[in-house]
């Protein structure tokens, strides 16, 4: 599962998770970067593989139509799926 600047479920009991890659702007004012980090911690506590790829200086919903951040996010996402869906 790939999570783009997402938050984690609250109030639900979660027993397991698939591998997760969180792609998150470090300056996100809508969903704080710390919530992306919490997704990774929660996944690890359940034994799932998880990592976060943060973008310094980027807010919520940063542009994925081109540029350095968009290209890097796409590369990370494709590498994640290749690795996990081998």
């Amino acid at each position: 599962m790939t999570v783009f600047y997402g938050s984690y479920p609250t109030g639900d009991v979660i027993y397991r998770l698939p591998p997760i890659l969180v792609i998150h702007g470090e300056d996100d004012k809508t969903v704080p970067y710390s919530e992306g980090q919490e997704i990774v911690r929660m996944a690890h506590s359940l034994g799932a593989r998880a990592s976060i790829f943060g973008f310094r200086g980027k807010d919520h919903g940063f542009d994925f139509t081109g540029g350095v951040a968009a290209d890097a996010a796409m590369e990370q996402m494709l590498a994640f799926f290749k690795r996990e869906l081998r």
Side-chain angles (χ1 to χ4, degrees), residues 54-65:
F55 287 89
R56 184 173 294 131
K58 296 296 182 181
D59 195 0
H60 189 79
F62 60 91
D63 189 7
F64 279 101
T65 60

Side-chain angles (χ1 to χ4, degrees), residues 9-70:
T10 57
D12 296 328
V13 176
I14 298 172
Y15 297 101
R16 63 183 196 171
L17 290 168
I20 296 173
L21 170 65
V22 177
I23 296 176
H24 205 124
E26 292 180 1
D27 291 340
D28 192 333
K29 293 168 191 64
T30 304
V31 178
Y33 186 73
S34 61
E35 289 195 27
Q37 293 172 312
E38 182 58 29
I39 291 171
V40 173
R41 279 192 291 276
M42 179 177 57
H44 287 164
S45 74
L46 296 171
R49 290 184 305 279
S51 58
I52 188 167
F53 191 72
F55 287 89
R56 184 173 294 131
K58 296 296 182 181
D59 195 0
H60 189 79
F62 60 91
D63 189 7
F64 279 101
T65 60
V68 175

